[in-house]
Amino acid sequence: MYRVVGVLIASLVVSAHATTLVEPPAPIELPTIDNKTPITLVAEEGFWTDYLNEHIVRDFTKATGVEVTVHTASLSDMYQLQTDSMLNGMGKYDVVTIEAGWAKEWAANGYTIPVKALIDEYDPQYSASLSQLTENYYPALLKILSYRGELHSLPYNSYVMGNHFRQDLFEHEGEQEDFLAKFGYPLQPPMSLMQLKDVAEFFTRDAGKALAGKRLEKPFYGVALMSGNRPHVNDELSSILWGMDGKWFVPEFRGQELIGFHLRTNTAAALHAAQYYRDLTAFAVPADESFAFLEAADALRNGDTAMAPFLYNNLWAITGEVNKAVKGGKLGITTVAGGRPYHGAYAFAVSYDSKNPEAAYWLLKYVSSFESQLAYAKAGGNPCRLDVVRYLIDSLPKGAAQRQALISSYQSDTNWQRDIHLYGHFTSTAMGTIYPMLVRAAYRIASGEDIEATLHSLSVQITTLQNLYGEEAMLAE
């Protein structure tokens, strides 16, 4: 027996604008599951977890009779917490959350069950529609999440980066004239990293100076950077490195076969990116060890900065409040300078040691459905399904913060589609262990420590971890 569950879908469709190009699919049908063993889902603490508990999980349990516990954790703790459980076959978590960089590592270790295997076992009538499912996500993102051409998880919360900026400042005639006089080219949201540094310098001003014709009562900064001792500092530095056509390490292929990696942390490009990031902090909102994405978003919302140039697009609901919080404020969102933002999403997967894999599969399918993703997006989230993305782009007002964020994310994925497989960051099966080393190195660089020594240490760490935990070794030059 199946029960149709629609999460707010009817009211959302009715309230959409008159002409919508995307026709919403029928609501998902959830079965009555005989195995009532409760399951546990892991999710990052914050808005998404709250929404899961209050809406999606409640409706899933009502339809299937299976109780779901949502275990919250910070991003810093989530990797080790889940890895320890699966490594030891503890069966603590049925649906695990994957940061995109961990996907290949967990799949290679057998921690996660392929989506196709779950469908064949528990939902065989859906097998013919699998291609429609997998084609309905950002293409570059699916390349990151797939292992040997097979998808082990479904993404639900996109955090690809964009440049969130004060559009009202960029449109101010006086600021445009002053910028042109100083730098010799028009003021616009920066597309190159050179332009980003120029704009950051231009908008950094002391209290008492004028900004858009008004006297500043407090200092104003060109950028807000996520430069605290948190994972996100690496995402910024990596985006800068990739925007300079650099890489931390690169894969080598023989035909379609991945045979190993070459180190690139000891190159001039890495040194240049590190020095650039250090220099950019001179124009940034003062940051302590805890300064990360929420602090950067708040700085823009509160009128303390002109740009959060490498901010996750799922923060549009916060940065969009600048339109009300600052008189005359107007948010704009575009792609990051350099065009290579940190790309990824949180994705759900069913663990190999799940106590109730059937219920875990149906929860995975439910949280990934059109109605769940659309309801989540309407509540403030950033979805990964392209039919939901298109639906929102069609139905939201042109200047809406969420619409701008979705367009930015879509464009960034397009920029990555052709060659994301040529970056070790997105092809290594050891990224879960390498990533923390990148974080530590990025924070040391942002904090003023010796750049060459930091990069040398990082080179040793990446080589060691890739050789210990990766399926392919670091190759000799």
Side-chain angles (χ1 to χ4, degrees):
M1 178 182 178
Y2 287 78
R3 178 173 181 176
V4 177
V5 180
V7 184
L8 306 180
I9 190 70
S11 62
L12 293 177
V13 173
V14 170
S15 64
H17 288 238
T19 55
T20 299
L21 300 179
V22 176
E23 182 69 24
I28 187 173
E29 294 184 345
L30 292 173
T32 300
I33 300 171
D34 293 333
N35 183 353
K36 302 298 184 187
T37 304
I39 60 175
T40 299
L41 174 147
V42 179
E44 187 185 24
E45 60 190 12
F47 160 74
W48 171 239
T49 301
D50 296 338
Y51 190 80
L52 273 173
N53 275 319
E54 295 169 10
H55 299 281
I56 294 178
V57 163
R58 180 195 63 192
D59 293 335
F60 177 83
T61 297
K62 185 178 180 180
T64 63
V66 178
E67 295 290 335
V68 180
T69 298
V70 178
H71 182 93
T72 63
S74 67
L75 175 60
S76 302
D77 296 334
M78 204 155 38
Y79 171 80
Q80 201 62 49
L81 178 84
Q82 297 176 106
T83 299
D84 288 346
S85 174
M86 292 184 290
L87 178 64
N88 296 299
M90 299 166 65
K92 291 177 65 176
Y93 311 118
D94 301 275
V95 179
V96 292
T97 287
I98 297 175
E99 196 277 341
W102 315 335
K104 287 182 171 61
E105 178 178 334
W106 283 6
N109 287 329
Y111 292 162
T112 51
I113 303 174
V115 174
K116 179 65 163 59
L118 291 164
I119 290 174
D120 289 345
E121 178 71 21
Y122 303 114
D123 195 15
Q125 70 271 22
Y126 193 61
S127 293
S129 304
L130 180 60
S131 62
Q132 294 179 358
L133 173 71
T134 56
E135 290 169 2
N136 199 24
Y137 292 97
Y138 293 113
L141 177 58
L142 287 193
K143 291 180 182 179
I144 300 172
L145 292 173
S146 296
Y147 171 69
R148 296 187 175 180
E150 195 166 40
L151 197 60
H152 283 239
S153 60
L154 294 177
Y156 66 88
N157 181 13
S158 169
Y159 51 72
V160 63
M161 287 174 162
N163 178 5
H164 295 225
F165 65 95
R166 286 279 301 280
Q167 186 171 338
D168 57 297
L169 297 181
F170 283 80
E171 293 175 344
H172 190 271
E173 290 187 9
E175 298 294 344
Q176 291 176 343
E177 292 171 1
D178 291 347
F179 185 89
L180 180 63
K182 183 172 183 178
F183 293 99
Y185 64 92
L187 175 64
Q188 60 184 1
M191 298 306 296
S192 74
L193 290 164
M194 179 201 74
Q195 291 172 342
L196 173 60
K197 187 181 286 187
D198 286 348
V199 174
E201 177 186 348
F202 174 72
F203 277 119
T204 301
R205 301 172 192 185
D206 295 330
K209 299 290 186 180
L211 176 70
K214 299 178 182 178
R215 182 180 178 277
L216 288 167
E217 297 181 357
K218 58 182 179 179
F220 190 80
Y221 300 91
V223 293
L225 299 174
M226 301 184 293
S227 56
N229 192 14
R230 304 283 297 280
H232 323 286
V233 63
N234 158 70
D235 299 356
E236 284 190 322
L237 178 56
S238 292
S239 298
I240 290 169
L241 174 66
W242 299 332
M244 294 178 174
D245 293 325
K247 301 178 178 71
W248 295 119
F249 59 119
V250 299
E252 180 177 328
F253 293 90
R254 183 183 293 122
Q256 298 295 315
E257 179 187 5
L258 176 61
I259 62 173
F261 293 89
H262 296 280
L263 193 67
R264 291 292 180 266
T265 54
N266 50 2
T267 61
L271 185 65
H272 184 202
Q275 187 60 59
Y276 177 95
Y277 191 50
R278 172 83 57 80
D279 294 345
L280 194 61
T281 62
F283 311 116
V285 175
D288 57 20
E289 284 194 355
S290 65
F291 202 97
F293 59 88
L294 286 177
E295 289 75 18
D298 282 340
L300 185 68
R301 172 179 60 184
N302 297 335
D304 295 325
T305 185
M307 296 179 290
F310 300 101
L311 193 65
Y312 308 114
N313 281 335
N314 58 3
L315 293 165
W316 62 266
I318 296 177
T319 56
E321 292 179 2
V322 71
N323 296 353
K324 296 180 180 178
V326 175
K327 187 176 182 180
K330 182 180 179 183
L331 178 70
I333 303 176
T334 188
T335 54
V336 304
R340 296 284 180 171
Y342 196 87
H343 191 5
Y346 289 119
F348 283 133
V350 176
S351 64
Y352 79 98
D353 57 351
S354 168
K355 305 178 296 296
N356 188 348
E358 181 181 9
Y361 162 72
W362 283 104
L363 180 59
L364 172 69
K365 185 175 180 180
Y366 184 52
V367 297
S368 304
S369 66
F370 180 93
E371 59 265 28
S372 292
Q373 281 270 284
L374 182 57
Y376 166 55
K378 288 287 185 176
N382 219 45
C384 295
R385 284 183 63 120
L386 292 181
D387 52 1
V388 175
V389 170
R390 295 187 185 107
Y391 181 91
L392 291 168
I393 289 175
D394 290 342
S395 58
L396 289 167
K398 185 176 180 180
Q402 186 176 26
R403 187 177 189 275
Q404 293 187 75
L406 292 170
I407 292 172
S408 169
S409 297
Y410 190 90
Q411 180 59 56
S412 295
D413 186 88
T414 301
N415 292 350
W416 273 116
Q417 285 178 29
R418 184 178 61 184
D419 59 358
I420 200 163
H421 65 290
L422 300 179
Y423 290 71
H425 198 101
F426 300 113
T427 51
S428 169
T429 55
M431 273 312 300
T433 50
I434 290 174
Y435 185 89
M437 301 303 107
L438 289 169
V439 172
R440 293 176 193 175
Y443 181 65
R444 289 176 62 188
I445 289 166
S447 300
E449 296 190 29
D450 185 87
I451 290 176
E452 291 191 19
T454 298
L455 292 178
H456 174 74
S457 176
L458 180 61
S459 298
V460 174
Q461 291 169 336
I462 290 178
T463 299
T464 301
L465 293 172
Q466 181 62 41
N467 290 341
L468 279 174
Y469 300 108
E471 286 190 315
E472 298 81 16
M474 196 69 72
L475 302 172
E477 295 297 322

